[in-house]
Amino acid sequence: MVDPVTPNRGLALPTRGSDVGTWDVPVNGNTSTLDLILSGTFIQALTNVPVTLTLAQVNNMQIAFTGALTANVPVTFPAIGGIWIINNQTTGDFDITLESATAGGATIVVPTGISQVFSDGKNLIFVSNPAFDDVGKVYEYSGLRLPAGHLWANGGQASRTSFANLFNATTEVATVNMNGTGLPPWGDPV
């Protein structure tokens, strides 16, 4: 008799009285799968071809993307819940978009580096992403040049390419008009 399996990670659920004399097969299989979920790494090379990951591939703690991107690449996850560490090691000026096999769910664009991603089986969202830690924070700064990755609050426009993390982290559009004075409209220094 075939054992039932868990809905997300496909772990065997031996029923009482089943697997007589062979109980070690589903238990050992579960143990191996759990070991990968807790510490395994799956490496997927990307170029310009859409990728659909299998349950065996996402049954790893870390999913590393490598390769030289030559176009934007969608990567589809199975419609399961889980948390993964995504390690984007790709090169090229293109995006990796993570999506669920369940239509209509939230998708995310993965920045270079390491991010933690959660799925409820339909939506993929960032749990943490060091690239976004400073997005939306306001710092006082004096000097002639801003540190890399920061914007002057002068009412100007920002490049979606240069400040991809800012645009990926928010759906709101905000403009601060400094009235050409270096002061915001309410008159206090920034």
Side-chain angles (χ1 to χ4, degrees):
M1 176 166 91
V2 176
D3 292 316
V5 296
T6 61
N8 285 309
R9 299 301 182 117
L11 301 175
L13 295 169
T15 55
R16 183 182 295 271
S18 69
D19 305 311
V20 175
T22 61
W23 60 268
D24 58 320
V25 175
V27 172
N28 289 347
N30 284 351
T31 303
S32 296
T33 300
L34 288 172
D35 182 61
L36 290 171
I37 291 169
L38 296 173
S39 62
T41 298
F42 171 72
I43 300 171
Q44 176 67 55
L46 301 174
T47 55
N48 64 349
V49 179
V51 172
T52 299
L53 299 173
T54 66
L55 181 60
Q57 293 167 334
V58 300
N59 271 347
N60 285 276
M61 174 188 263
Q62 176 181 216
I63 299 173
F65 297 116
T66 62
L69 298 180
T70 58
N72 293 333
V73 179
V75 176
T76 304
F77 277 62
I80 64 168
I83 296 176
W84 297 272
I85 295 171
I86 304 297
N87 188 349
N88 180 0
Q89 303 170 15
T90 60
T91 59
D93 195 23
F94 296 96
D95 295 328
I96 301 170
T97 302
L98 303 184
E99 58 191 24
S100 171
T102 303
T107 63
I108 55 176
V109 176
V110 182
T112 302
I114 296 175
S115 304
Q116 190 173 25
V117 173
F118 167 80
S119 174
D120 62 5
K122 180 178 180 181
N123 302 291
L124 287 151
I125 60 170
F126 286 114
V127 174
S128 69
N129 183 325
F132 296 160
D133 287 348
D134 284 341
V135 172
K137 291 184 180 174
V138 177
Y139 293 96
E140 291 187 28
Y141 178 78
S142 62
L144 298 177
R145 299 186 70 206
L146 284 177
H150 291 77
L151 293 171
W152 287 112
N154 63 3
Q157 295 183 352
S159 163
R160 285 187 175 275
T161 302
S162 299
F163 298 96
N165 292 340
L166 174 63
F167 287 96
N168 289 336
T170 181
T171 58
E172 299 297 320
V173 176
T175 302
V176 176
N177 184 351
M178 303 296 266
N179 298 326
T181 64
L183 298 176
W186 54 88
D188 296 328
V190 174

